[in-house]
């Protein structure tokens, strides 16, 4: 019987793929047999990771591009051309933590364009290739900040909530084209993005006090959920947002 949890013969494009959750997803996907296209802004990091994967015999292409800009998205798909694409993982994102009244227009625009606009534009650009796949999947990395109020800053929360709604809309619109669209909403995960905060004992305690499992997550735990949602094991799942959060989002006391 075919193992539905493998990604053999799939081609996946992963944004923000050189660090943290994106890197863990790239590691998991190649381990499960996928050929991958890794995308990030830093050309040196992309080249280094691409070479590392290739030295292990994995099928990997690296593209340095800024997905927050239309020309960055166009660069990616000009390079891919009319080739096959089965999976798109929209992972690129960042945060600036401030009070709502302290954000500049430039900071707000940067958060919207990187975290949300890129997901919309990458998905739209990938649509013709994904439609040809017949068993395509889009996975959007959101956050529990898109589900409830956190101390992450309101612009970040706006983008993550927007990703969840966009996931639902695309899932309904593109189901007829054989494209499933799902999202993952992580809580605090050990990544470079959260390292500074989690190294503060008082802050870490506040996170653990709100987490039933009493620990922060590992990138590989998000990557495992990503692999499941993009595999045939999840073939009847679309439009969903799965919280990978140690129980945080359902903890009422």
């Amino acid at each position: 019987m075919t193992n539905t949890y493998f990604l053999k013969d799939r081609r996946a494009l992963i944004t923000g793929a050189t660090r943290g959750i994106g890197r863990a997803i790239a590691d998991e996907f190649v381990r499960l047999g996928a050929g991958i296209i890794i995308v990030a802004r830093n050309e040196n990091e992309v080249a280094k990771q691409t070479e590392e994967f290739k030295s292990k015999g994995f099928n990997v292409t690296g593209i340095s591009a800024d997905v927050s800009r239309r020309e960055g998205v166009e660069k990616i798909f000009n390079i891919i051309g009319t080739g096959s694409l089965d999976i798109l993982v929209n992972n690129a994102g960042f945060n600036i933590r401030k009070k709502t009244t302290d954000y500049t227009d430039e900071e707000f625009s940067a958060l919207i364009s990187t975290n949300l606009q890129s997901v919309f534009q990458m998905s739209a650009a990938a649509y013709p290739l994904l439609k040809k796949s017949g068993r395509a999947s889009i996975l959007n990395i959101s956050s529990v900040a898109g589900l409830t109020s956190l101390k992450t800053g309101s612009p970040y929360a706006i983008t993550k909530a927007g990703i969840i709604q966009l996931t639902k809309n695309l899932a309904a619109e593109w189901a007829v084209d054989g494209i499933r669209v799902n999202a993952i909403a992580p809580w605090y995960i050990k990544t470079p993005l959260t390292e500074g905060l989690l190294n503060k004992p008082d802050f870490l305690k506040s996170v653990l006090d709100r987490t039933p499992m009493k620990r922060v997550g590992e990138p590989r735990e998000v990557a495992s959920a990503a692999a499941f949602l993009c595999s045939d094991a999840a073939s009847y799942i679309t439009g969903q947002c799965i919280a990978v959060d140690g129980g945080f989002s359902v903890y009422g006391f």
Side-chain angles (χ1 to χ4, degrees):
M1 185 175 71
T2 302
N3 191 327
T4 57
Y5 288 90
F6 281 124
L7 298 174
K8 187 177 180 182
D9 300 325
R10 305 290 178 91
R11 193 183 192 205
L13 191 163
I14 306 165
T15 68
T18 57
R19 298 182 184 182
I21 289 172
R23 172 60 194 257
I25 291 174
D27 288 340
E28 184 76 356
F29 278 23
V30 295
R31 187 182 69 80
L32 293 174
I36 63 171
I37 303 161
I38 60 172
V39 175
R41 285 184 294 186
N42 189 301
E43 186 174 358
N44 290 334
E45 290 184 5
V46 170
K48 180 180 178 181
Q49 186 177 333
T50 302
E51 183 57 36
E52 180 183 332
F53 277 133
K54 286 185 174 180
S55 70
K56 297 177 181 178
F58 295 125
N59 177 13
V60 179
T61 300
I63 301 174
S64 61
D66 183 354
V67 296
S68 72
R69 301 173 65 86
R70 168 67 73 178
E71 51 265 41
V73 175
E74 291 175 351
K75 175 183 177 180
I76 293 166
F77 287 93
N78 284 337
I79 291 173
I80 295 174
T82 57
S84 64
L85 188 67
D86 305 292
I87 298 167
L88 170 64
V89 179
N90 288 306
N91 169 71
F94 80 110
N95 195 15
I96 302 170
R97 290 177 172 83
K98 287 185 175 183
K99 294 180 180 178
T100 296
T101 54
D102 291 342
Y103 286 94
T104 66
D105 289 345
E106 291 75 18
E107 289 170 335
F108 181 84
S109 295
L111 285 163
I112 296 296
S113 62
T114 302
N115 294 6
L116 180 57
Q117 179 180 297
S118 69
V119 177
F120 181 89
Q121 291 185 342
M122 286 291 296
S123 298
Y127 170 76
L129 299 180
L130 295 171
K131 184 178 179 180
K132 289 193 300 182
S133 167
R135 54 175 185 174
S137 181
I138 296 175
L139 179 68
N140 299 322
I141 303 301
S142 181
S143 166
V144 289
L147 300 172
T148 190
S149 176
L150 300 177
K151 296 178 181 180
T152 55
S154 56
Y156 181 82
I158 289 169
T159 65
K160 295 305 181 178
I163 285 172
I164 294 170
Q165 186 58 49
L166 177 60
T167 296
K168 295 175 182 178
N169 277 70
L170 295 184
E173 184 178 344
W174 292 350
V176 68
D177 299 309
I179 303 171
R180 295 185 300 106
V181 189
N182 291 292
I184 289 175
W187 175 223
Y188 276 95
I189 307 295
K190 293 179 184 177
T191 69
L193 188 66
T194 63
E195 184 178 15
L197 288 170
L198 296 177
N199 283 338
K200 299 176 180 178
D202 289 346
F203 187 86
L204 176 59
K205 182 179 183 303
S206 72
V207 170
L208 300 183
D209 285 346
R210 290 164 174 78
T211 308
M213 292 183 70
K214 299 301 179 188
R215 66 177 178 85
V216 297
E218 299 286 345
R220 60 177 173 77
E221 293 176 305
V222 181
S224 294
F228 164 70
L229 287 171
C230 293
S231 73
D232 287 342
S235 58
Y236 200 53
I237 299 174
T238 195
Q240 303 305 305
C241 178
I242 295 180
V244 181
D245 66 352
F248 164 79
S249 59
V250 297
Y251 191 37
F253 181 77

